[in-house]
Amino acid sequence: MPALVPLTYSCSVNPSAVFPGDTIAASGTAVNLDPAKTAVYTWSADGGTVTGVSSTAKIDTANLAPGAYTLKCHVSEGDQPSENADASAPYVVKAFEPPTVSCTANPSTVNIGDKSVITAAGVSPHNRPLTYSYTAQSGTISGTGATATFDSTGAPTSAIGITCSVTDDKGQIATANTSVTVTARLPRRCGNSRLVWRCTVSFSKPMSPGSKIPMAACWPARRKL
């Protein structure tokens, strides 16, 4: 009777690195199977859920924490040691990458009391849902979407720092900064003229040292520029 040639077995996964929730395809290859017998395949893993009863299986990584895991594969066609073989294949579950964001202000310079539109462009590498928030060093800012409004009322005449933030549904946060320069409002003009004040002081008698200056009479007038 010829000696039995033992089974050999190997298994593999594709892809070998995924993000939580992705599915991994697994396959096994047995060598020296007896065509007269029925091979039985079993699968197990130390992370995720494995389903499969033939030479192929799937690993569900839903809710699996990031880390390194191992798929264990077994094939059998009898009770003899030479009729059984084991194999394994490693796979990695990666953490979701955090989002990114950029932040701009339009206009970037305003007069006191004026407003500027703040735009945040958030991107999730995995298309996770994003929420937006904003803060300003002074003045007020309102908005919860991709745009917000900065109101410079009450802000000093300087560059006001503004922070745009995005948070994905995994709690990962990205921030970016911009600024709005607040300037003093220039005197109001009417056409090509500027409002000025003219004043006169009347002296009924010569001034002596220590005398008070009489009250001035003033009125508005416009001066052409």
Side-chain angles (χ1 to χ4, degrees), residues 33-62:
L33 286 174
D34 186 342
K37 297 180 179 180
T38 300
V40 177
Y41 297 85
T42 55
W43 306 85
S44 65
D46 56 6
T49 303
V50 187
T51 56
V53 293
S54 64
S55 61
T56 60
K58 291 182 178 180
I59 307 172
D60 183 358
T61 64

Side-chain angles (χ1 to χ4, degrees), residues 31 33 39 42 52 54 75 98 100 107 149 153 189 211 217:
V31 179
L33 286 174
T42 55
S54 64
V75 62
T100 60
T149 301
T153 301
R189 296 181 179 181
S211 298

Side-chain angles (χ1 to χ4, degrees), residues 1-207:
M1 180 177 180
L4 293 176
V5 179
L7 282 177
T8 59
Y9 191 43
S10 64
C11 60
S12 60
V13 293
N14 184 38
S16 59
V18 297
F19 293 100
D22 291 343
T23 299
I24 300 174
S27 62
T29 301
V31 179
N32 299 326
L33 286 174
D34 186 342
K37 297 180 179 180
T38 300
V40 177
Y41 297 85
T42 55
W43 306 85
S44 65
D46 56 6
T49 303
V50 187
T51 56
V53 293
S54 64
S55 61
T56 60
K58 291 182 178 180
I59 307 172
D60 183 358
T61 64
N63 302 317
L64 196 59
Y69 299 93
T70 302
L71 172 70
K72 298 178 181 180
C73 327
H74 179 77
V75 62
S76 174
E77 59 176 6
D79 297 329
Q80 299 299 317
S82 61
E83 297 176 315
N84 291 267
D86 295 287
S88 63
Y91 58 97
V92 174
V93 176
K94 301 182 292 184
F96 285 112
E97 297 174 21
T100 60
V101 66
S102 61
C103 190
T104 58
N106 184 32
S108 59
T109 300
V110 298
N111 291 327
I112 291 178
D114 289 347
K115 298 178 180 181
S116 176
V117 175
I118 309 302
T119 301
V123 176
S124 168
H126 312 289
N127 295 319
R128 312 300 305 182
L130 299 176
T131 57
Y132 293 78
S133 60
Y134 303 86
T135 58
Q137 292 177 334
S138 188
T140 58
I141 190 166
S142 59
T144 56
T147 59
T149 301
F150 168 70
D151 187 340
S152 64
T153 301
T157 53
S158 63
I160 306 300
I162 294 172
T163 300
C164 305
S165 301
V166 293
T167 306
D168 66 16
D169 62 337
K170 299 299 180 179
Q172 299 183 110
I173 302 174
T175 61
N177 299 311
T178 188
S179 64
V180 176
T181 300
V182 179
T183 60
R185 191 176 295 277
L186 296 175
R188 182 174 296 178
R189 296 181 179 181
C190 182
N192 61 347
S193 64
R194 176 177 293 174
L195 182 65
V196 297
W197 288 88
R198 298 188 183 278
C199 300
T200 60
V201 179
S202 300
F203 297 89
S204 59
K205 57 183 179 180
M207 296 290 293

